[in-house]
């Protein structure tokens, strides 16, 4: 059973994993439209705090850029930026699980691609960075795609065998 504070508690787990204050994480995520209800939905989807952090990290960075432009280089913002760097270094040391692949689709049957605003401007337009991943685990990619969409990121999930768009 999920209580009223489930989203807030899950946000706290994610914040501890990243090494930032949970209230600050929640505030930054609100900058990109990510609420306690979204955190609760992640918890209900049975996603671990680490998986959720990896999924929301681009949105968190976008929120930091927004807050930095509004409030300047405050200590909490600078500490959060350093926490992101430290977290990324830490996860690089952990061996990544290898994607299960078939002969038909070497990287995996399903492909998830998403664009994340970088906060930079080029000729008056916001620049985006495109990321992607392949896997044979459709459930996992759907969960990640859902988190990205809730964070305001445009996603495209495709079955590479049938060329069917699963989520857009």
């Amino acid at each position: 059973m999920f209580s009223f504070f489930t989203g807030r508690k899950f946000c706290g787990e994610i914040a501890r994993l990243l090494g930032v204050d949970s209230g600050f994480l929640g505030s930054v995520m609100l900058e990109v439209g990510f609420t306690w209800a979204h955190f609760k939905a992640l918890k209900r989807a049975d996603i671990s705090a680490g998986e959720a952090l990896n999924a929301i990290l681009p949105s968190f960075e976008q929120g930091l850029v927004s807050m930095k432009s509004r409030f300047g280089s405050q200590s909490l913002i600078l500490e959060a930026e350093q926490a992101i760097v430290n977290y990324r270094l830490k996860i690089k040391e952990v061996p990544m699980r290898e994607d299960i692949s078939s002969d038909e689709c070497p990287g995996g049957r399903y492909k998830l691609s998403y664009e994340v605003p970088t906060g930079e401007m080029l000729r008056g337009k916001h620049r985006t960075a495109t990321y992607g991943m392949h896997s044979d685990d459709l459930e996992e990619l759907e969960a990640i795609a859902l988190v990205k969409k809730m964070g305001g990121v445009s996603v495209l999930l495709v079955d590479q065998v049938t060329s069917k768009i699963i989520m857009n």
Side-chain angles (χ1 to χ4, degrees), residues 1-163:
M1 183 164 160
F2 294 95
S3 74
F4 179 76
F5 294 104
T6 300
R8 181 170 246 166
K9 289 177 187 174
F10 195 53
C11 176
E13 288 178 44
I14 295 168
R16 279 189 296 282
L17 187 61
L18 182 58
V20 297
D21 179 71
S22 62
F24 182 68
L25 175 68
S27 296
V28 171
M29 293 306 291
L30 277 174
E31 284 289 316
V32 294
F34 201 90
T35 66
W36 299 124
H38 292 114
F39 283 110
K40 186 174 185 175
L42 289 175
K43 184 67 173 177
R44 280 187 173 169
D46 201 29
I47 295 174
S48 72
E51 291 169 323
L53 175 56
N54 291 333
I56 69 168
L57 203 53
S59 298
F60 182 67
E61 289 175 308
Q62 181 184 359
L64 282 175
V65 168
S66 175
M67 289 188 93
K68 196 172 192 178
S69 69
R70 285 177 54 202
F71 303 113
S73 293
Q74 301 290 321
S75 63
L76 278 175
I77 295 171
L78 296 175
E79 289 169 10
E81 289 173 338
Q82 186 59 49
I84 292 170
V85 171
N86 294 342
Y87 177 75
R88 286 204 168 121
L89 289 173
K90 184 168 61 173
I91 63 172
K92 282 185 179 181
E93 293 172 3
V94 177
M96 300 294 285
R97 99 176 151 75
E98 294 197 20
D99 285 332
I100 303 167
S101 60
S102 62
D103 294 334
E104 193 172 352
C105 297
R109 177 175 179 167
Y110 304 101
K111 179 182 178 185
L112 172 64
S113 54
Y114 53 95
E115 291 185 353
V116 179
T118 63
E120 299 173 2
M121 298 282 285
L122 179 65
R123 296 187 184 115
K125 295 182 181 179
H126 291 281
R127 294 188 58 197
T128 59
T130 304
Y131 300 96
M133 57 184 72
H134 295 81
S135 178
D136 283 333
D137 189 350
L138 177 60
E139 233 176 77
E140 178 184 19
L141 287 182
E142 282 179 324
I144 292 170
L146 179 63
V147 170
K148 298 285 184 197
K149 283 186 83 162
M150 288 191 303
V153 176
S154 62
V155 300
L156 180 62
L157 180 58
V158 178
D159 182 335
Q160 295 186 107
V161 173
T162 64
S163 298

